[in-house]
Amino acid sequence: SAVISQKPSRDICQRGTSLTIQCQVDSQVTMMFWYRQQPGQSLTLIATANQGSEATYESGFVIDKFPISRPNLTFSTLTVSNMSPEDSSIYLCSVVGPGQGETQYFGPGTRLLVL
Amino acid sequence: AQSVAQPEDQVNVAEGNPLTVKCTYSVSGNPYLFWYVQYPNRGLQFLLKYITGDNLVKGSYGFEAEFNKSQTSFHLKKPSALVSDSALYFCAVRPGGYQKVTFGIGTKLQVIP
């Protein structure tokens, strides 16, 4: 399976600021996704990161709030903009790649606390 | 629209006893089914999947799951629970192809020494 790393692993941020989360994979992957897991909740898909083009956002998520980049087949970033305490969550990068049998693998997550 | 139900918020089992974590699903067409485990302060780890073939699939750490098409279920099982199995377990489903995966709400497994 692909090895996925995320930076930062955790952060505490002030209301109104922005945080960019990086996701790096050790091999080229077909699909990259960003999920949010709010405290005590399941996973919610934010968007699919598309290489070289705009991300595909799920209902309830918009580009202005969660801009995403994917410059190549191994790297993506998610920015959480103009943060509020409601953005306190775990943000998870997930990938599907060739040779992975259609399994989605997850990074370790970024734990964000907004004060 | 696809959906996943995990009817139990928490499952308690004594160490050494068999465990079952339940999952039922709804999806158009043939389902791709997955189980993941999340330990405290960690990301999700893939346990096992059903794509096609044998209805009983074996995965990591001694876990297995049985696909039952008529009951639209994919229950996770282990013959003998370990304290270290205590974690949050997520069932997930999607139709064939690289489409959106839908996760259940998760079931907390507590293995009691």
Side-chain angles (χ1 to χ4, degrees):
Chain A
S1 64
V3 177
I4 308 166
S5 60
Q6 286 186 232
K7 291 182 181 179
S9 60
R10 59 178 67 240
D11 207 341
I12 301 173
C13 299
Q14 295 298 318
R15 180 195 301 261
T17 63
S18 298
L19 175 72
T20 295
I21 302 168
Q22 299 179 4
C23 176
Q24 179 73 57
V25 191
D26 69 341
S27 59
Q28 293 185 350
V29 294
T30 308
M31 307 283 285
M32 295 184 79
F33 306 92
W34 286 99
Y35 285 83
R36 181 174 73 181
Q37 185 181 21
Q38 294 180 301
Q41 302 293 317
S42 185
L43 281 77
T44 301
L45 180 63
I46 297 172
T48 302
N50 300 310
Q51 191 217 347
S53 64
E54 189 174 293
T56 304
Y57 290 85
E58 296 298 307
S59 176
F61 297 96
V62 296
I63 188 171
D64 289 347
K65 176 67 175 177
F66 297 101
I68 289 170
S69 76
R70 189 182 171 191
N72 56 50
L73 294 176
T74 65
F75 185 79
S76 179
T77 66
L78 167 74
T79 299
V80 186
S81 303
N82 188 25
M83 288 184 285
S84 66
E86 291 72 33
D87 294 319
S88 298
S89 288
I90 301 173
Y91 292 86
L92 294 146
C93 173
S94 179
V95 305
V96 178
Q100 293 178 6
E102 314 216 31
T103 299
Q104 211 170 97
Y105 291 95
F106 286 82
T110 296
R111 282 151 187 77
L112 172 61
L113 177 63
V114 184
L115 302 177
Chain B
Q2 62 216 48
S3 64
V4 178
Q6 293 183 244
E8 301 154 317
D9 290 338
Q10 181 160 333
V11 170
N12 297 321
V13 62
E15 185 177 23
N17 283 2
L19 69 87
T20 299
V21 182
K22 295 179 180 178
C23 172
T24 59
Y25 66 90
S26 174
V27 69
S28 299
N30 294 322
Y32 288 17
L33 295 155
F34 306 86
W35 275 102
Y36 291 86
V37 59
Q38 186 176 36
Y39 297 100
N41 299 314
R42 304 283 294 275
L44 267 70
Q45 295 181 30
F46 168 72
L47 274 180
L48 52 79
K49 67 183 177 186
Y50 172 83
I51 303 295
T52 187
D54 194 348
N55 289 345
L56 183 65
V57 293
K58 296 185 182 298
S60 306
Y61 312 121
F63 283 93
E64 59 189 27
E66 186 166 12
F67 170 62
N68 187 317
K69 188 173 183 178
S70 62
Q71 298 185 4
T72 62
S73 67
F74 190 57
H75 301 331
L76 181 70
K77 301 181 180 184
K78 187 173 182 181
S80 179
L82 301 173
V83 173
S84 58
D85 293 330
S86 299
L88 189 58
Y89 291 80
F90 290 97
C91 181
V93 66
R94 67 173 168 87
Y98 292 132
Q99 298 184 41
K100 177 181 174 181
V101 173
T102 298
F103 285 84
I105 63 172
T107 298
K108 183 179 179 181
L109 174 66
Q110 188 74 37
V111 181
I112 303 163

mmCIF file of all heavy atoms in Angstrom, chain A residues 31-57:
data_model
loop_
_atom_site.group_PDB
_atom_site.id
_atom_site.type_symbol
_atom_site.label_atom_id
_atom_site.label_comp_id
_atom_site.label_asym_id
_atom_site.label_seq_id
_atom_site.Cartn_x
_atom_site.Cartn_y
_atom_site.Cartn_z
ATOM 1 N N MET A 31 -6.232 8.704 -7.568
ATOM 2 C CA MET A 31 -7.197 9.614 -6.967
ATOM 3 C C MET A 31 -6.677 10.079 -5.604
ATOM 4 O O MET A 31 -6.072 9.302 -4.863
ATOM 5 C CB MET A 31 -8.550 8.920 -6.745
ATOM 6 C CG MET A 31 -9.126 8.251 -7.982
ATOM 7 S SD MET A 31 -9.840 9.434 -9.120
ATOM 8 C CE MET A 31 -11.367 9.831 -8.259
ATOM 9 N N MET A 32 -6.954 11.330 -5.285
ATOM 10 C CA MET A 32 -6.661 11.863 -3.959
ATOM 11 C C MET A 32 -7.912 12.561 -3.451
ATOM 12 O O MET A 32 -8.595 13.271 -4.204
ATOM 13 C CB MET A 32 -5.478 12.840 -3.994
ATOM 14 C CG MET A 32 -4.168 12.193 -4.383
ATOM 15 S SD MET A 32 -2.761 13.331 -4.303
ATOM 16 C CE MET A 32 -2.431 13.345 -2.537
ATOM 17 N N PHE A 33 -8.183 12.347 -2.170
ATOM 18 C CA PHE A 33 -9.381 12.899 -1.543
ATOM 19 C C PHE A 33 -9.015 13.577 -0.231
ATOM 20 O O PHE A 33 -8.021 13.231 0.415
ATOM 21 C CB PHE A 33 -10.382 11.780 -1.212
ATOM 22 C CG PHE A 33 -10.748 10.893 -2.370
ATOM 23 C CD1 PHE A 33 -10.035 9.728 -2.622
ATOM 24 C CD2 PHE A 33 -11.815 11.211 -3.188
ATOM 25 C CE1 PHE A 33 -10.376 8.895 -3.679
ATOM 26 C CE2 PHE A 33 -12.161 10.379 -4.256
ATOM 27 C CZ PHE A 33 -11.443 9.231 -4.492
ATOM 28 N N TRP A 34 -9.872 14.506 0.170
ATOM 29 C CA TRP A 34 -9.748 15.130 1.485
ATOM 30 C C TRP A 34 -11.056 14.903 2.256
ATOM 31 O O TRP A 34 -12.161 15.154 1.733
ATOM 32 C CB TRP A 34 -9.478 16.622 1.373
ATOM 33 C CG TRP A 34 -8.077 16.915 0.942
ATOM 34 C CD1 TRP A 34 -7.640 17.221 -0.311
ATOM 35 C CD2 TRP A 34 -6.920 16.935 1.790
ATOM 36 N NE1 TRP A 34 -6.282 17.422 -0.309
ATOM 37 C CE2 TRP A 34 -5.816 17.250 0.961
ATOM 38 C CE3 TRP A 34 -6.703 16.721 3.152
ATOM 39 C CZ2 TRP A 34 -4.508 17.364 1.465
ATOM 40 C CZ3 TRP A 34 -5.412 16.826 3.640
ATOM 41 C CH2 TRP A 34 -4.334 17.146 2.808
ATOM 42 N N TYR A 35 -10.893 14.405 3.492
ATOM 43 C CA TYR A 35 -12.026 14.143 4.366
ATOM 44 C C TYR A 35 -11.908 14.982 5.634
ATOM 45 O O TYR A 35 -10.812 15.363 6.054
ATOM 46 C CB TYR A 35 -12.054 12.663 4.787
ATOM 47 C CG TYR A 35 -12.520 11.703 3.729
ATOM 48 C CD1 TYR A 35 -11.637 11.231 2.762
ATOM 49 C CD2 TYR A 35 -13.829 11.234 3.717
ATOM 50 C CE1 TYR A 35 -12.064 10.325 1.797
ATOM 51 C CE2 TYR A 35 -14.255 10.323 2.757
ATOM 52 C CZ TYR A 35 -13.369 9.878 1.800
ATOM 53 O OH TYR A 35 -13.786 8.981 0.860
ATOM 54 N N ARG A 36 -13.047 15.181 6.260
ATOM 55 C CA ARG A 36 -13.091 15.801 7.580
ATOM 56 C C ARG A 36 -13.768 14.838 8.545
ATOM 57 O O ARG A 36 -14.778 14.211 8.201
ATOM 58 C CB ARG A 36 -13.876 17.116 7.509
ATOM 59 C CG ARG A 36 -13.952 17.854 8.830
ATOM 60 C CD ARG A 36 -14.604 19.208 8.652
ATOM 61 N NE ARG A 36 -16.039 19.106 8.427
ATOM 62 C CZ ARG A 36 -16.829 20.154 8.228
ATOM 63 N NH1 ARG A 36 -16.305 21.373 8.191
ATOM 64 N NH2 ARG A 36 -18.112 19.989 8.047
ATOM 65 N N GLN A 37 -13.216 14.752 9.722
ATOM 66 C CA GLN A 37 -13.814 13.938 10.784
ATOM 67 C C GLN A 37 -13.969 14.823 12.006
ATOM 68 O O GLN A 37 -13.012 15.084 12.732
ATOM 69 C CB GLN A 37 -12.952 12.712 11.110
ATOM 70 C CG GLN A 37 -13.606 11.778 12.112
ATOM 71 C CD GLN A 37 -12.739 10.579 12.437
ATOM 72 O OE1 GLN A 37 -11.521 10.605 12.246
ATOM 73 N NE2 GLN A 37 -13.336 9.516 12.948
ATOM 74 N N GLN A 38 -15.178 15.293 12.223
ATOM 75 C CA GLN A 38 -15.441 16.131 13.390
ATOM 76 C C GLN A 38 -15.503 15.270 14.640
ATOM 77 O O GLN A 38 -15.746 14.055 14.560
ATOM 78 C CB GLN A 38 -16.725 16.926 13.164
ATOM 79 C CG GLN A 38 -16.560 17.934 12.024
ATOM 80 C CD GLN A 38 -17.793 18.745 11.743
ATOM 81 O OE1 GLN A 38 -18.840 18.189 11.429
ATOM 82 N NE2 GLN A 38 -17.666 20.061 11.828
ATOM 83 N N PRO A 39 -15.273 15.863 15.790
ATOM 84 C CA PRO A 39 -15.198 15.085 17.039
ATOM 85 C C PRO A 39 -16.385 14.144 17.206
ATOM 86 O O PRO A 39 -17.542 14.566 17.140
ATOM 87 C CB PRO A 39 -15.172 16.180 18.112
ATOM 88 C CG PRO A 39 -14.565 17.366 17.431
ATOM 89 C CD PRO A 39 -15.055 17.305 16.015
ATOM 90 N N GLY A 40 -16.086 12.866 17.394
ATOM 91 C CA GLY A 40 -17.124 11.882 17.623
ATOM 92 C C GLY A 40 -17.974 11.554 16.415
ATOM 93 O O GLY A 40 -19.013 10.908 16.549
ATOM 94 N N GLN A 41 -17.530 11.973 15.245
ATOM 95 C CA GLN A 41 -18.334 11.768 14.043
ATOM 96 C C GLN A 41 -17.617 10.842 13.055
ATOM 97 O O GLN A 41 -16.457 10.502 13.230
ATOM 98 C CB GLN A 41 -18.596 13.118 13.364
ATOM 99 C CG GLN A 41 -19.300 14.128 14.228
ATOM 100 C CD GLN A 41 -20.717 13.722 14.549
ATOM 101 O OE1 GLN A 41 -21.446 13.246 13.693
ATOM 102 N NE2 GLN A 41 -21.105 13.897 15.798
ATOM 103 N N SER A 42 -18.353 10.485 12.018
ATOM 104 C CA SER A 42 -17.769 9.696 10.943
ATOM 105 C C SER A 42 -17.023 10.612 9.975
ATOM 106 O O SER A 42 -16.875 11.806 10.219
ATOM 107 C CB SER A 42 -18.867 8.926 10.221
ATOM 108 O OG SER A 42 -18.312 8.065 9.251
ATOM 109 N N LEU A 43 -16.589 10.042 8.889
ATOM 110 C CA LEU A 43 -15.836 10.798 7.899
ATOM 111 C C LEU A 43 -16.776 11.433 6.891
ATOM 112 O O LEU A 43 -17.706 10.781 6.405
ATOM 113 C CB LEU A 43 -14.865 9.879 7.153
ATOM 114 C CG LEU A 43 -13.579 9.535 7.883
ATOM 115 C CD1 LEU A 43 -13.828 8.493 8.952
ATOM 116 C CD2 LEU A 43 -12.546 9.024 6.894
ATOM 117 N N THR A 44 -16.480 12.661 6.547
ATOM 118 C CA THR A 44 -17.228 13.380 5.528
ATOM 119 C C THR A 44 -16.285 13.802 4.419
ATOM 120 O O THR A 44 -15.259 14.445 4.688
ATOM 121 C CB THR A 44 -17.900 14.629 6.122
ATOM 122 O OG1 THR A 44 -18.772 14.238 7.184
ATOM 123 C CG2 THR A 44 -18.702 15.367 5.060
ATOM 124 N N LEU A 45 -16.619 13.461 3.198
ATOM 125 C CA LEU A 45 -15.781 13.826 2.064
ATOM 126 C C LEU A 45 -15.917 15.314 1.775
ATOM 127 O O LEU A 45 -17.037 15.805 1.591
ATOM 128 C CB LEU A 45 -16.168 13.015 0.835
ATOM 129 C CG LEU A 45 -15.376 13.283 -0.451
ATOM 130 C CD1 LEU A 45 -13.907 12.931 -0.260
ATOM 131 C CD2 LEU A 45 -15.976 12.514 -1.615
ATOM 132 N N ILE A 46 -14.779 16.009 1.756
ATOM 133 C CA ILE A 46 -14.780 17.430 1.416
ATOM 134 C C ILE A 46 -14.713 17.589 -0.101
ATOM 135 O O ILE A 46 -15.517 18.295 -0.700
ATOM 136 C CB ILE A 46 -13.577 18.148 2.055
ATOM 137 C CG1 ILE A 46 -13.664 18.087 3.577
ATOM 138 C CG2 ILE A 46 -13.485 19.593 1.558
ATOM 139 C CD1 ILE A 46 -12.413 18.594 4.287
ATOM 140 N N ALA A 47 -13.725 16.939 -0.710
ATOM 141 C CA ALA A 47 -13.529 17.115 -2.145
ATOM 142 C C ALA A 47 -12.580 16.066 -2.688
ATOM 143 O O ALA A 47 -11.829 15.436 -1.944
ATOM 144 C CB ALA A 47 -12.966 18.502 -2.444
ATOM 145 N N THR A 48 -12.647 15.908 -3.993
ATOM 146 C CA THR A 48 -11.690 15.106 -4.739
ATOM 147 C C THR A 48 -10.674 16.063 -5.345
ATOM 148 O O THR A 48 -11.061 17.022 -6.038
ATOM 149 C CB THR A 48 -12.387 14.318 -5.853
ATOM 150 O OG1 THR A 48 -13.394 13.489 -5.268
ATOM 151 C CG2 THR A 48 -11.395 13.457 -6.625
ATOM 152 N N ALA A 49 -9.407 15.812 -5.080
ATOM 153 C CA ALA A 49 -8.350 16.666 -5.618
ATOM 154 C C ALA A 49 -7.964 16.173 -7.000
ATOM 155 O O ALA A 49 -7.532 15.041 -7.162
ATOM 156 C CB ALA A 49 -7.136 16.644 -4.690
ATOM 157 N N ASN A 50 -8.117 17.011 -7.996
ATOM 158 C CA ASN A 50 -7.843 16.637 -9.388
ATOM 159 C C ASN A 50 -6.505 17.230 -9.818
ATOM 160 O O ASN A 50 -6.250 18.419 -9.613
ATOM 161 C CB ASN A 50 -8.954 17.148 -10.287
ATOM 162 C CG ASN A 50 -10.305 16.573 -9.916
ATOM 163 O OD1 ASN A 50 -10.458 15.368 -9.768
ATOM 164 N ND2 ASN A 50 -11.294 17.441 -9.751
ATOM 165 N N GLN A 51 -5.687 16.387 -10.429
ATOM 166 C CA GLN A 51 -4.375 16.869 -10.838
ATOM 167 C C GLN A 51 -4.499 17.900 -11.937
ATOM 168 O O GLN A 51 -5.123 17.651 -12.967
ATOM 169 C CB GLN A 51 -3.502 15.716 -11.307
ATOM 170 C CG GLN A 51 -2.053 16.133 -11.491
ATOM 171 C CD GLN A 51 -1.401 15.450 -12.697
ATOM 172 O OE1 GLN A 51 -1.955 14.510 -13.234
ATOM 173 N NE2 GLN A 51 -0.246 15.929 -13.106
ATOM 174 N N GLY A 52 -3.940 19.059 -11.695
ATOM 175 C CA GLY A 52 -3.879 20.087 -12.733
ATOM 176 C C GLY A 52 -5.180 20.803 -13.008
ATOM 177 O O GLY A 52 -5.257 21.578 -13.963
ATOM 178 N N SER A 53 -6.187 20.551 -12.221
ATOM 179 C CA SER A 53 -7.455 21.259 -12.419
ATOM 180 C C SER A 53 -8.146 21.462 -11.078
ATOM 181 O O SER A 53 -7.685 20.979 -10.045
ATOM 182 C CB SER A 53 -8.358 20.495 -13.389
ATOM 183 O OG SER A 53 -8.724 19.250 -12.841
ATOM 184 N N GLU A 54 -9.246 22.169 -11.123
ATOM 185 C CA GLU A 54 -9.956 22.490 -9.881
ATOM 186 C C GLU A 54 -10.515 21.234 -9.222
ATOM 187 O O GLU A 54 -10.968 20.314 -9.895
ATOM 188 C CB GLU A 54 -11.090 23.466 -10.203
ATOM 189 C CG GLU A 54 -11.787 24.065 -9.003
ATOM 190 C CD GLU A 54 -12.788 25.136 -9.408
ATOM 191 O OE1 GLU A 54 -12.350 26.196 -9.908
ATOM 192 O OE2 GLU A 54 -14.002 24.909 -9.229
ATOM 193 N N ALA A 55 -10.510 21.242 -7.916
ATOM 194 C CA ALA A 55 -11.044 20.107 -7.172
ATOM 195 C C ALA A 55 -12.555 20.007 -7.344
ATOM 196 O O ALA A 55 -13.234 20.990 -7.666
ATOM 197 C CB ALA A 55 -10.693 20.258 -5.697
ATOM 198 N N THR A 56 -13.064 18.826 -7.112
ATOM 199 C CA THR A 56 -14.513 18.571 -7.172
ATOM 200 C C THR A 56 -15.037 18.526 -5.746
ATOM 201 O O THR A 56 -14.694 17.612 -4.988
ATOM 202 C CB THR A 56 -14.797 17.236 -7.881
ATOM 203 O OG1 THR A 56 -14.201 17.255 -9.177
ATOM 204 C CG2 THR A 56 -16.291 17.019 -7.998
ATOM 205 N N TYR A 57 -15.863 19.497 -5.398
ATOM 206 C CA TYR A 57 -16.327 19.649 -4.022
ATOM 207 C C TYR A 57 -17.672 18.968 -3.807
ATOM 208 O O TYR A 57 -18.543 18.967 -4.687
ATOM 209 C CB TYR A 57 -16.437 21.135 -3.654
ATOM 210 C CG TYR A 57 -15.077 21.783 -3.531
ATOM 211 C CD1 TYR A 57 -14.415 22.289 -4.644
ATOM 212 C CD2 TYR A 57 -14.443 21.857 -2.294
ATOM 213 C CE1 TYR A 57 -13.149 22.851 -4.535
ATOM 214 C CE2 TYR A 57 -13.182 22.426 -2.172
ATOM 215 C CZ TYR A 57 -12.537 22.919 -3.300
ATOM 216 O OH TYR A 57 -11.287 23.466 -3.185
#
